[in-house]
Amino acid sequence: VDDYQLLEAVVAGADAVLCSDLPPEEAAGMVAACRREGLANIFLLAPTSDESRLKAVAAVASAVGSASARLIR
């Protein structure tokens, strides 16, 4: 995501960006860009995330979501 795309999101009325496939260890650029544009950044955690992962996400996220799915056959 570049600054132009984030600006388009702001103009369209977005409040946040869902970082669904971005590890917190690689998120510094995205986090900085979101802050410049006034957007929250939301990271996802698995129900099985350990404490070190929780802390890594908490250090960079504006908000956190958790999701789980179950395959039914």
Side-chain angles (χ1 to χ4, degrees):
V1 174
D2 60 31
D3 288 340
Y4 179 75
Q5 289 171 314
L6 291 177
L7 183 57
E8 282 186 321
V10 170
V11 169
D15 295 318
V17 173
L18 177 60
C19 305
S20 62
D21 199 19
L22 181 64
E25 301 82 11
E26 300 174 17
M30 175 65 126
V31 170
C34 285
R35 287 184 180 151
R36 272 195 310 274
E37 299 300 337
L39 292 167
N41 46 36
I42 303 168
F43 286 78
L44 297 176
L45 289 167
T48 56
S49 297
D50 62 17
E51 188 171 341
S52 65
R53 188 61 163 183
L54 295 173
K55 288 180 179 180
V57 168
V60 297
S62 303
V64 176
S66 178
S68 61
R70 190 170 122 193
L71 179 62
I72 300 174
R73 295 180 190 212

